């Protein structure tokens, strides 16, 4: 776990791989809960029997946005920024959903600090490139450049 306490510390780590999260198994319960939270009940996610017979993946797959939503949680295992007055999710520059995550798959996150920009005297904007790996698969589930702002 990396801990940063200032914009200067973040700036010196630009280009560094910050770390890798623990593995997380994607359960059907998690997929169903996400479907309930978002109203996206497309059969390829929630209909286990139909997905087993009709889906090209042979099982339900996680919503792409479910996979993306895990990035914040998994990043908490990799790094923190302490001593801030406020930390904000500022958006994304780029997100690509590369491979589907089937129910029962295990994923983990790899994060690299891509850039740090001073916003004003007490705030920085960071871009972290996050790659969500799927155990045993040659391609990741997603790659995303996430933007955060930290006010110290």
């Amino acid at each position: 776990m990396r801990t940063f306490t200032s914009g200067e510390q973040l700036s010196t780590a630009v280009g560094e791989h910050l770390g890798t999260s623990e593995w997380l198994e994607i359960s059907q319960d998690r997929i169903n809960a996400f479907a309930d939270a978002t109203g996206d009940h497309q059969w390829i996610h929630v209909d286990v029997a139909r997905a087993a017979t009709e889906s090209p993946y042979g099982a339900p797959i996680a919503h792409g946005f479910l996979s993306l939503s895990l990035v914040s949680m998994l990043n908490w295992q990799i790094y923190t920024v302490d001593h801030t007055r406020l930390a904000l999710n500022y958006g994304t520059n780029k997100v690509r959903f590369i491979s589907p995550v089937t129910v029962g798959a295990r994923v983990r996150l790899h994060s690299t600090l891509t850039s740090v920009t001073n916003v004003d005297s007490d705030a920085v904007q960071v871009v972290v490139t996050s790659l969500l790996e799927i155990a045993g698969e040659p391609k990741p589930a997603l790659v995303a450049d996430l933007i955060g702002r930290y006010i110290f």
Side-chain angles (χ1 to χ4, degrees):
M1 163 78 78
R2 297 277 301 265
T3 300
F4 299 96
T5 58
S6 69
E8 293 80 21
Q9 283 183 348
L10 285 159
S11 292
T12 62
V14 169
E16 291 183 19
H17 181 257
L18 299 176
T20 304
S21 74
E22 299 294 321
W23 289 105
L24 174 68
E25 185 171 333
I26 304 302
S27 67
Q28 187 64 52
D29 286 342
R30 183 181 294 269
I31 293 170
N32 292 345
F34 189 84
D36 289 342
T38 61
D40 182 354
H41 291 91
Q42 185 182 19
W43 68 266
I44 200 161
H45 306 301
V46 297
D47 189 331
V48 175
R50 185 174 178 190
T53 59
E54 295 183 37
S55 166
Y57 311 110
I61 60 171
H63 306 72
F65 284 111
L66 167 56
S67 297
L68 181 61
S69 74
L70 297 173
V71 171
S72 292
M73 176 189 73
L74 295 173
N75 261 328
W76 281 104
Q77 296 178 12
I78 297 171
Y79 75 97
T80 62
V81 181
D82 291 343
H83 306 296
T84 62
R85 288 188 292 128
L86 185 62
L88 298 169
N89 174 351
Y90 200 69
T92 60
N93 283 337
K94 182 178 172 180
V95 177
R96 295 293 179 263
F97 300 107
I98 298 167
S99 296
V101 178
T102 56
V103 69
R106 293 181 313 129
V107 297
R108 69 179 175 180
L109 189 68
H110 301 267
S111 293
T112 300
L113 183 57
T114 305
S115 70
V116 176
T117 307
N118 290 325
V119 177
D120 59 42
S121 63
D122 64 347
V124 295
Q125 180 168 296
V126 302
V127 176
V128 175
T129 299
S130 300
L131 181 146
L132 191 66
E133 174 187 8
I134 307 168
E137 296 294 329
K139 295 181 182 177
L142 66 85
V143 177
D145 290 336
L146 284 94
I147 308 166
R149 282 211 174 165
Y150 299 99
I151 301 171
F152 294 93

